[in-house]
Amino acid sequence: MVFRFLIRYLANNEHLVQKLSESYPMRRAAQLVVRVMFHGKNFIEENRLHEKLTPEQFKTLMRDIAENFQKQIKQTQENLQRKMKQ
């Protein structure tokens, strides 16, 4: 309950949201998301996967991509933690 209130307060704080949006990590994360979206779209269009895949196959492909992306994020976090300890 308290956590939900705190998140709602922080999300509705315009000054905080503005500062966060101007920070390097948030800008970089947004750039990466857009990059992944455009590369994925181009990959699908170039290989004509939208014509070949059934909806179930497409869901499986997207799930695999999302899992791979999460693994890469976790690996990057671990690498950063190791570097910070050194």
Side-chain angles (χ1 to χ4, degrees):
M1 184 74 169
V2 174
F3 183 70
R4 193 179 310 169
F5 172 76
L6 182 61
I7 294 297
R8 187 178 308 134
Y9 171 75
L10 293 175
N12 291 326
N13 186 338
E14 289 183 37
H15 183 67
L16 177 65
V17 171
Q18 182 67 28
K19 281 211 172 239
L20 283 174
S21 70
E22 294 171 355
S23 69
Y24 177 77
M26 291 301 234
R27 283 193 329 244
R28 188 67 181 142
Q31 289 171 349
L32 289 172
V33 168
V34 170
R35 183 174 183 223
V36 167
M37 287 176 53
F38 278 110
H39 282 288
K41 180 181 176 190
N42 289 337
F43 177 78
I44 288 171
E45 288 176 353
E46 288 173 1
N47 294 310
R48 298 186 181 266
L49 293 177
H50 62 283
E51 297 172 357
K52 297 176 186 177
L53 294 177
T54 65
E56 293 80 22
Q57 291 172 329
F58 182 75
K59 287 179 188 177
T60 303
L61 176 65
M62 290 296 111
R63 187 180 65 240
D64 292 344
I65 290 171
E67 288 173 0
N68 188 18
F69 190 64
Q70 289 174 351
K71 286 178 187 176
Q72 289 178 358
I73 289 173
K74 188 174 183 179
Q75 184 180 20
T76 302
Q77 288 174 339
E78 291 171 357
N79 289 343
L80 285 173
Q81 289 175 354
R82 272 191 240 123
K83 285 182 181 181
M84 291 178 77
K85 288 181 181 179
Q86 293 178 351

